[in-house]
Amino acid sequence: MNILEVRDLRVYYQTIKGEVKALDGATFSVAEGEIMGLAGESGCGKSTLGRSLVLLKPPMKYVDGKVFLEGEPLPIWDREKMNAFRFAKVSLIPQYAMNALNPTKKIKRIFADILASRGIRLKQVLSELNWRFELVELPLEVLKMYPIELSGGMKQRVVMVLSTLLNPSLLIADEVTSALDVSTQKAVAKMLVEFRDQRFVKALIVITHDISLLYQIADTILVMYAGKFAEKGGTEEIISDPKHPYTRLLISSLPKIGVRYMETKLRGIPGHPPSLLEPPGGCRFRERCPEAFEKCGEEPPFITLDSTGRQVACWLITGNHD
Amino acid sequence: MIELEHVTKIYRLGTFGRRALRAVDDVSFRVAQGRVVSLIGESGSGKTTIGKMILRLIPLTSGRILFEGNDISALSGRALKDYYRKVQGVFQDPFSSYNPIFKADRIFRILKTEFFPTVGPQQWDKRIREVLSTVGLVPEEVLGKYPHQLSGGQLQRFLIARALLLDIQFLVADEIISMLDASTRIDVLNLLAELRNNRGLSILFITHDLSLAHYLSDEAIILYRGSIMESGDIEKVFQRPLHPYTQILLSSVPRLDQKWEETEIRLKVQEGKRTAGCPYYDRCYLAEKGKICADLKPQLVEAEEQHFVACHRFREIPKEVKHAAGQTRGTSLA
C-alpha cells in the first residue's frame, strides 16, 4: 500500500517581485516501508516539498495538486486542519533541528510540552521513551539536561526520538546529517533505517544533497531539478544507470575516494539553475543539458513510467523520436 | 615554505577565563613549495584555528610558525604587508566575505589602494580581467554586480582571484567548497589543482570531506581534538590507515561504489576533562586493553617512510579492520 501519494503538487513563494515557482509539479508515491531519498541541489525545491507536507505557511503558497496519506486526503492547504495530522500522522525533522530545541527548557520539559499539546501526558509514554533513548544510545540523564549541555549529534538524536514518538505514518528528515561529522553522520543515518525497521514510522522521506548518503540507506531515490521532478527509481538503478542527463552529470561530478585529480579529472556541470521567478518554458535543465534538442525548448517533458517502475521526465526517454 | 613548530593554542573559557580549552595541542608540520596538504578533521578539531594562526588572525599560545625561515609573529609594518602579499586565505562562507551594500568587485579596489597604489587604472583593469579569466569567470558577466546577484561559486572564485592578484605563494583554503553545490564544487577544486600545477602555489586545504581531500592533495594531516593523529603521503594514509580514528573516518564516508561495513561507532558522551593520555581514548576500540593509552599521550612516530602515526598500539590493529577501511584499490595491503 502507498503511504503517501502526491499528485502534481505546486507550491510557490510569494515575494515582492512575483511568485517564485519553487515546487512546480511533483508527482510520486511512497510505499509502506519505503525509505525514499529526495536529492537535488540547493534551490531545487526539495525542502519546499518536505515542508509543504507538514506546515505550509506564508510566504509559501499552495497553488495546486493533491496529497493523500494512507488513502486519506491530506489538507495541506489548511493549517488548522493539519493540526490533527502534524506530529501524530506526519512528522518533520527540519534542517538544523538541533537548534530548534528551546534553550531555556530541559529536554524533559520539551517532551512534556509537545505531548501536552496533543493531550498526552509524559507518564503515559515514559517507558516507550526510555527504550527509544536506549536504542539511539542516549543516556536517560539527557532528560534532565538543557540543550546546551548536549553535542550536535546528541541533539539531533533527541529531535529524532521526539518527532517519531507517536509513531507517525510518514517521517520527513530534511538534511538531518549534513551538520554532523562523518562518523556521527553514519550512526544517525543508520538510526533512520532502524526507525523504519522497528516500525516507528511506516515510510520515510530523507531529503539531502548528498547522493552517496542515500546510496547507503535509501530504497528509492527521487531527483529534483529547479522545482521539477527529474527522475525516480530504485537506488541501485539510479546510481548505476541514471536515465536523466542531470542525474548522470551530477553523479559523475562527485569525487569518490580513490579518485585523484592527477589521474582522473572530474568535471562539474557548466552553467547554473534558471531563476524560478520566471523559469523558461520547456525543460528547465535544457540550458545546461548536453543532449538537449528542439523539443526540450518547446514543452516541459512528461513523467513517464517504464516497466521497471522507473519514472523519468526527459524528452530523450519519453520518446517522440518516431 | 610554511613550517609549524610545536604550535599550541589555548582558548580561555568561562568567567574570568578559568577554563582552558586546548584547541591546538603541540602541532608541527610543514608545507613545501608546490604541495597541497589537506588538514582533515571533524568540527572542533582545531583545523580552522591552525589556518587562522597561519594568517595571523589570532595569536599563538606557544610554538612558532615560520615562513621561508622567518618567524611570522615577529613581522610588522612593511614586512607584514609583504607577508600578506604572499600568504592569503579564502574561507567557507563566500557571502559573509562581502559587504552586501557594495558591489562585489569593491574587494579589488580595496586591494589596489592597499597594495598597488602606483598601478595605473587601465593597467589595473587589465590585470583584473586577466585574473578573472584565470579563475574561469567571464569579466563582463561578473564585474559591477552586487554579491546577491552572483552565485556562491562565482563569489568564491572572486575571492581566489583577489588572492591571485597579490601573486601569492601560499593559500589557506578553509572549507572553501562546502557551501557550494555538487555540480559546481568540483570546478573550484580543479581550479586549485591547476594553480598548483601552473604557478607552483602551495595550498593548505582545510576540510572535513575525505574524498575531496584525496582528490586534490599530496599529503594528509588527520586532526582530532587539536592533535595530529596521523599524517603523511596521501596514498599511504588512505590506503593503509594506521590510526583507529582514521580507519573509522574512512569507513564512515558514504560512498557510491560500496555500502557501509558493519562497523560499530561509539556515540558515548565524551568526557571533556581528560588531560593526560591519548586524545582519542574515549572513542577508541583499542584503548581498553592497555593502561598506557589513558596515561600517556602518544607521540607522532614514523611507521613507514612518509607516514606518521600517533598511537601506542597501531601495530596491534587486526588486519581485517585495516583492510575494511583502507581498500580503495584492494591489492595494496601486504
Side-chain angles (χ1 to χ4, degrees):
Chain A
M1 192 185 89
N2 281 340
I3 296 298
L4 181 74
E5 262 189 76
V6 176
R7 287 190 208 148
D8 202 32
L9 182 62
R10 286 168 209 274
V11 176
Y12 296 169
Y13 286 90
Q14 192 64 53
T15 67
I16 304 167
K17 285 183 184 167
E19 288 172 336
V20 176
K21 301 174 181 64
L23 179 63
D24 211 2
T27 302
F28 64 93
S29 56
V30 186
E32 180 155 11
E34 178 178 339
I35 298 184
M36 186 188 89
L38 182 53
E41 302 178 75
S42 42
C44 75
K46 55 189 194 300
S47 290
T48 306
L49 173 55
R51 244 176 277 157
S52 61
L53 295 178
V54 177
L55 179 61
L56 205 151
K57 58 174 187 184
M60 284 163 90
K61 201 175 79 174
Y62 170 83
V63 178
D64 197 12
K66 288 202 169 77
V67 180
F68 298 90
L69 189 72
E70 293 181 286
E72 304 273 317
L74 191 66
I76 58 163
W77 55 87
D78 189 329
R79 275 170 75 183
E80 293 292 316
K81 279 192 192 157
M82 275 299 286
N83 275 337
F85 294 90
R86 212 176 289 131
F87 185 44
K89 287 277 169 201
V90 43
S91 216
L92 171 84
I93 311 177
Q95 203 171 355
Y96 311 116
M98 27 197 204
N99 303 339
L101 296 171
N102 187 335
T104 66
K105 289 181 184 174
K106 288 182 177 169
I107 302 296
K108 195 173 181 175
R109 248 315 270 298
I110 297 177
F111 272 90
D113 286 357
I114 294 182
L115 287 167
S117 75
R118 293 291 179 274
I120 299 163
R121 307 236 319 265
L122 184 63
K123 268 189 193 157
Q124 293 170 262
V125 293
L126 205 56
S127 64
E128 184 66 22
L129 185 64
N130 288 353
W131 127 248
R132 292 195 183 184
F133 263 52
E134 205 175 299
L135 188 78
V136 300
E137 292 182 50
L138 279 175
L140 275 180
E141 293 85 77
V142 165
L143 284 174
K144 293 181 204 129
M145 294 184 187
Y146 286 98
I148 196 174
E149 297 175 80
L150 309 178
S151 72
M154 291 169 84
K155 277 189 270 190
Q156 194 62 273
R157 281 177 276 152
V158 166
V159 175
M160 280 169 62
V161 171
L162 179 60
S163 51
T164 53
L165 198 57
L166 299 185
N167 293 352
S169 306
L170 176 70
L171 176 69
I172 300 160
D174 189 356
E175 297 279 11
V176 285
T177 62
S178 55
L180 304 175
D181 300 320
V182 272
S183 53
T184 321
Q185 179 189 52
K186 177 176 171 183
V188 168
K190 294 215 142 196
M191 278 165 198
L192 287 175
V193 180
E194 183 71 23
F195 276 27
R196 187 266 316 263
D197 295 348
Q198 296 280 353
R199 306 187 65 79
F200 295 167
V201 296
K202 288 183 189 153
L204 250 163
I205 297 180
V206 179
I207 302 175
T208 178
H209 65 280
D210 189 347
I211 291 189
S212 33
L213 182 80
L214 293 180
Y215 180 63
Q216 307 296 330
I217 62 166
D219 303 311
T220 56
I221 296 180
L222 192 166
V223 182
M224 288 184 65
Y225 182 78
K228 291 276 195 188
F229 179 104
E231 181 167 11
K232 187 190 172 191
T235 300
E236 291 290 341
E237 290 83 56
I238 293 277
I239 302 296
S240 59
D241 180 27
K243 298 273 191 220
H244 197 287
Y246 172 64
T247 322
R248 195 154 62 230
L249 290 170
L250 186 66
I251 290 173
S252 69
S253 74
L254 300 175
K256 299 153 192 76
I257 281 200
V259 172
R260 303 200 54 205
Y261 175 81
M262 296 311 234
E263 293 147 18
T264 326
K265 195 176 159 186
L266 299 174
R267 290 178 53 87
I269 309 177
H272 43 84
S275 156
L276 296 180
L277 264 174
E278 278 165 46
C283 174
R284 291 192 183 171
F285 188 57
R286 181 179 83 244
E287 306 233 312
R288 298 169 83 185
C289 182
E291 292 165 70
F293 58 107
E294 251 174 67
K295 178 115 184 158
C296 307
E298 292 161 4
E299 258 182 276
F302 302 119
I303 301 172
T304 48
L305 182 71
D306 75 2
S307 52
T308 61
R310 177 91 69 105
Q311 294 164 284
V312 189
C314 175
W315 284 124
L316 284 172
I317 310 297
T318 312
N320 282 26
H321 292 304
D322 20 286
Chain B
M1 170 159 269
I2 281 265
E3 196 169 352
L4 276 74
E5 288 178 349
H6 306 290
V7 169
T8 297
K9 175 72 193 179
I10 297 172
Y11 287 115
R12 292 276 157 202
L13 302 173
T15 330
F16 308 117
R18 261 179 291 190
R19 273 174 51 222
L21 174 79
R22 279 183 176 265
V24 177
D25 194 3
D26 193 19
V27 165
S28 304
F29 66 88
R30 64 164 72 195
V31 182
Q33 207 225 317
R35 301 283 280 177
V36 181
V37 176
S38 276
L39 202 53
I40 303 165
E42 307 192 333
S43 44
S45 61
K47 54 191 195 300
T48 294
T49 302
I50 291 177
K52 284 186 177 166
M53 287 192 289
I54 292 174
L55 292 167
R56 276 198 39 157
L57 297 174
I58 47 173
L60 282 66
T61 305
S62 65
R64 294 201 303 168
I65 298 178
L66 306 173
F67 178 70
E68 290 171 339
N70 302 315
D71 189 341
I72 62 160
S73 64
L75 301 176
S76 64
R78 264 194 98 108
L80 182 61
K81 208 161 183 174
D82 265 351
Y83 179 68
Y84 281 134
R85 268 179 212 273
K86 293 173 187 161
V87 179
Q88 282 287 324
V90 178
F91 300 95
Q92 179 168 18
D93 181 1
F95 298 95
S96 68
S97 298
Y98 294 87
N99 186 333
I101 62 169
F102 294 108
K103 287 176 181 167
D105 49 23
R106 180 169 176 262
I107 57 168
F108 297 127
R109 215 166 58 239
I110 297 171
L111 196 72
K112 182 176 184 307
T113 342
E114 259 318 292
F115 288 94
F116 304 99
T118 56
V119 178
Q122 279 180 351
Q123 206 193 343
W124 181 246
D125 193 56
K126 194 168 150 257
R127 268 199 222 175
I128 289 180
R129 283 165 189 277
E130 273 171 17
V131 83
L132 285 176
S133 315
T134 313
V135 298
L137 293 171
V138 181
E140 288 73 32
E141 280 179 12
V142 291
L143 288 173
K145 294 226 168 126
Y146 288 93
H148 70 266
Q149 295 173 303
L150 300 168
S151 73
Q154 287 173 321
L155 291 173
Q156 207 61 294
R157 283 156 194 266
F158 245 65
L159 292 168
I160 298 172
R162 176 191 161 279
L164 292 179
L165 274 171
L166 285 163
D167 208 23
I168 52 160
Q169 295 164 18
F170 187 86
L171 181 71
V172 176
D174 188 355
E175 297 275 16
I176 61 167
I177 53 172
S178 62
M179 302 225 347
L180 306 183
D181 270 324
S183 70
T184 46
R185 59 175 20 172
I186 199 73
D187 295 321
V188 175
L189 273 190
N190 287 340
L191 168 65
L192 290 184
E194 279 156 30
L195 292 172
R196 191 271 304 270
N197 292 350
N198 303 340
R199 293 193 176 209
L201 183 68
S202 312
I203 300 168
L204 184 68
F205 186 71
I206 301 176
T207 185
H208 67 278
D209 189 319
L210 289 109
S211 0
L212 298 180
H214 191 228
Y215 180 68
L216 187 69
S217 24
D218 306 305
E219 290 166 46
I221 297 169
I222 313 280
L223 275 181
Y224 182 77
R225 294 230 212 153
S227 298
I228 297 180
M229 299 287 110
E230 185 162 357
S231 70
D233 181 82
I234 190 102
E235 287 297 341
K236 288 179 179 158
V237 173
F238 275 65
Q239 299 285 333
R240 290 187 291 277
L242 294 173
H243 199 284
Y245 177 57
T246 318
Q247 292 165 356
I248 290 288
L249 277 185
L250 281 168
S251 66
S252 305
V253 178
R255 302 165 63 149
L256 278 178
D257 49 352
Q258 88 191 43
K259 300 261 174 157
W260 275 329
E261 303 274 328
E262 286 300 321
T263 40
E264 198 188 326
I265 291 170
R266 295 192 180 185
L267 286 169
K268 299 208 181 87
V269 194
Q270 293 171 28
E271 302 165 32
K273 285 166 266 173
R274 184 171 301 281
T275 47
C278 176
Y280 192 57
Y281 182 82
D282 292 324
R283 289 171 70 186
C284 186
Y285 68 88
L286 275 178
E288 275 159 275
K289 280 203 278 175
K291 271 200 75 181
I292 187 168
C293 298
D295 298 334
L296 185 70
K297 186 180 168 182
Q299 294 294 308
L300 214 55
V301 294
E302 190 160 11
E304 59 177 324
E305 205 192 342
Q306 293 293 315
H307 191 174
F308 302 83
V309 61
C311 175
H312 293 302
R313 316 185 78 99
F314 74 89
R315 287 193 179 81
E316 299 166 31
I317 292 171
K319 274 241 157 61
E320 58 274 24
V321 177
K322 261 198 233 181
H323 194 255
Q327 59 174 231
T328 44
R329 307 230 175 88
T331 50
S332 55
L333 279 154

